[in-house]
Amino acid sequence: MLMKCSAVCLVALACLGSFCDAQWGGSRFQKPAAPVRQEPSKQMPQQPQQSKQNFETPLTWTYPEDPKPEPQAEVPFELRQPAPAATVTVECREIDARVVVKKDMFGIGQFIEPSGLTLGACGATGHDTAEQVLIFESELHDCGSSLMMTEDSLIYTFTLNYSPQPLGSSQVVRTSGAAVIVECHYPRKHNVSSLPLDPLWIPFSAVKVAEEFLYFTLRLMTDDWQYERPSYQYFLGDMINIEATVKQFFHTPLRVYVDNCVANLVPDANSNPRYAFIENHGCLVDARVTGSDSKFMVRSAENKIQFQLEAFRFQNADSGLLYITCHLKATSTAYAIDNEHRACSYTGGWKEASGAHAACGSCDSGSFDTSGHSNSGGGGGAWGSSGTSTGLSSPGRKIRDVPQTEVNEWEAEVILGPIPIGEKVVA
């Protein structure tokens, strides 16, 4: 029994020893491997890399586009037809006839010249200064009268002839020739007059463009100066409203001037007949020469100037058309108004449109010949001081030197027309 227990204990110890060896053998320390020596490697220097630089915000600036003309506005306009002027009356008496004619024969506010009015071949026998009338008295068989016999009456017919004379020393007239038939019916009387002819054409106006985006224009305006006038038709005695402008789209503020203007029958400033109604650097001489109401309006803006011209026709010209050629100038508003940059009107004395009346002192420096030109030394330039013109300079920029300052000018020549001038009806 003791032996049997001893054998069992030995087997148990052997199993226990095997078990311990298994436990401690799996966790034995292993010697680390020796480190491997690494050879140093040569590194090539890196080349700098270039890259294209991009803007975070793209550029938006571009060259400015050419300015576009403003759309034409619809203007509430209706051409006023002239009303017949009842300025001739006749009194048929027993043995003679008495014809009374107002000096304002056409009813336009312009007196006729008494020497140009005759009854047949007879001149006026008297005049009434209070009533402003001319009086003709003739026996029924005198002054070139004619007799016609009808079934009911005897009719004595006279012809009242008017031949207009040029105003002052100019070649222009503001009344048309007329022949009014005056009849004496026994026992009746009445007046007969001719009717006017209405010409038909399509007018046009030209606009010249100067350098540096400066646009010079010349336009006919309505009576209230608010719109461009749709019709170019005028009648003797009407006031023609004209507006000159300069548009400075990309420029410093400018002041525009009408240096000189001439009227012709054709669009050629050098043709004859010709009438220079603005000259001597902005002097509107029409009122001074012919006694009209032509004048510059008070300047409402620096880049525009407005003026009124009383309608007229050239003597012995049948067409009744006018072309107006003006030489326009523009300077910076920083330059003062002087005797070469002005807008002067004669209204009992010379007045400047901007109030600088002292600049008009040289407007009367010379006399005016029959073509409306000034014979003064200061009236030269593109128009010259003689009876013939050397022509206007082309549009562009001109630099003029004056004492202690430099004046920059921009100028252009603008033609307006044709402007038909009709005649008034006399009844």
Side-chain angles (χ1 to χ4, degrees):
M1 185 68 177
L2 178 62
M3 290 295 291
K4 190 176 183 177
C5 291
S6 296
V8 172
C9 290
L10 288 175
V11 173
L13 288 174
C15 292
L16 180 62
S18 298
F19 178 75
C20 291
D21 288 339
Q23 291 291 324
W24 289 103
S27 60
R28 288 179 181 177
F29 176 75
Q30 294 180 359
K31 184 178 179 179
V36 180
R37 183 180 179 182
Q38 296 181 354
E39 294 294 334
S41 61
K42 292 184 179 180
Q43 294 184 358
M44 299 300 293
Q46 296 182 357
Q47 297 293 334
Q49 295 183 357
Q50 295 182 353
S51 62
K52 182 178 180 181
Q53 183 179 3
N54 296 323
F55 292 99
E56 296 182 359
T57 303
L59 296 178
T60 59
W61 184 90
T62 58
Y63 282 96
E65 297 181 357
D66 289 342
K68 298 180 180 179
E70 298 177 357
Q72 200 76 355
E74 293 185 3
V75 182
F77 176 81
E78 182 179 357
L79 181 65
R80 294 193 299 266
Q81 297 294 333
T87 56
V88 180
T89 60
V90 60
E91 179 185 359
C92 297
R93 299 184 291 202
E94 185 176 353
I95 61 174
D96 62 2
R98 186 175 188 268
V99 180
V100 179
V101 183
K102 292 183 179 180
K103 290 185 177 180
D104 183 11
M105 182 177 175
F106 295 88
I108 59 175
Q110 184 80 31
F111 285 179
I112 62 174
E113 289 293 333
S115 59
L117 186 64
T118 59
L119 184 66
C122 303
T125 58
H127 66 277
D128 188 339
T129 56
E131 298 293 333
Q132 296 294 344
V133 296
L134 298 174
I135 301 173
F136 297 85
E137 292 183 348
S138 172
E139 293 187 1
L140 297 178
H141 297 281
D142 290 343
C143 295
S145 66
S146 61
L147 173 62
M148 182 176 64
M149 185 180 303
T150 65
E151 184 176 338
D152 298 327
S153 60
L154 295 174
I155 302 175
Y156 291 88
T157 304
F158 297 87
T159 303
L160 189 66
N161 296 307
Y162 176 63
S163 178
Q165 302 299 318
L167 297 172
S169 59
S170 67
Q171 297 185 25
V172 304
V173 292
R174 286 199 165 89
T175 53
S176 57
V180 181
I181 305 300
V182 180
E183 297 181 349
C184 280
H185 292 226
Y186 290 89
R188 297 181 301 166
K189 62 181 180 181
H190 71 274
N191 299 331
V192 177
S193 65
S194 60
L195 298 176
L197 297 177
D198 294 331
L200 298 176
W201 44 72
I202 301 176
F204 72 92
S205 64
V207 177
K208 299 295 283 187
V209 179
E211 294 178 349
E212 300 190 22
F213 294 102
L214 294 187
Y215 282 65
F216 288 88
T217 61
L218 204 61
R219 302 187 300 168
L220 297 180
M221 304 298 291
T222 54
D223 293 343
D224 57 2
W225 297 97
Q226 297 298 315
Y227 304 97
E228 185 174 1
R229 196 174 192 265
S231 173
Y232 277 38
Q233 176 69 60
Y234 289 91
F235 298 92
L236 290 173
D238 291 344
M239 299 302 294
I240 304 175
N241 294 338
I242 303 176
E243 181 181 87
T245 60
V246 59
K247 295 183 179 180
Q248 61 271 16
F249 291 96
F250 311 108
H251 209 285
T252 56
L254 297 176
R255 183 184 297 122
V256 68
Y257 301 90
V258 182
D259 193 66
N260 41 56
C261 285
V262 63
N264 307 85
L265 291 175
V266 295
D268 180 5
N270 301 320
S271 63
N272 287 314
R274 62 195 308 273
Y275 175 52
F277 56 90
I278 298 180
E279 58 180 0
N280 198 8
H281 302 298
C283 297
L284 207 165
V285 300
D286 182 61
R288 187 78 167 92
V289 175
T290 67
S292 69
D293 292 328
S294 302
K295 63 182 179 296
F296 280 105
M297 310 302 291
V298 176
R299 190 186 288 271
S300 59
E302 297 292 356
N303 70 324
K304 69 174 62 175
I305 187 67
Q306 300 165 336
F307 61 95
Q308 289 183 321
L309 177 65
E310 190 171 342
F312 64 89
R313 294 166 63 104
F314 284 100
Q315 187 182 21
N316 300 326
D318 297 330
S319 69
L321 296 180
L322 290 182
Y323 287 85
I324 295 177
T325 304
C326 291
H327 191 79
L328 307 182
K329 295 193 307 185
T331 64
S332 171
T333 55
Y335 299 125
I337 298 173
D338 56 22
N339 59 358
E340 292 189 2
H341 307 86
R342 57 192 176 184
C344 298
S345 306
Y346 187 83
T347 55
W350 290 103
K351 305 294 182 182
E352 213 282 330
S354 299
H357 306 313
C360 301
S362 60
C363 281
D364 262 341
S365 59
S367 59
F368 304 97
D369 59 23
T370 57
S371 62
H373 291 102
S374 173
N375 291 327
S376 63
W383 293 98
S385 58
S386 62
T388 60
S389 170
T390 59
L392 293 171
S393 60
S394 60
R397 178 177 177 179
K398 179 176 67 175
I399 300 178
R400 304 172 58 255
D401 292 328
V402 296
Q404 300 179 354
T405 186
E406 183 183 74
V407 178
N408 294 332
E409 290 182 355
W410 292 263
E411 51 192 359
E413 175 185 324
V414 184
I415 301 177
L416 184 66
I419 303 175
I421 307 297
E423 298 181 355
K424 289 282 188 178
V425 180
V426 179

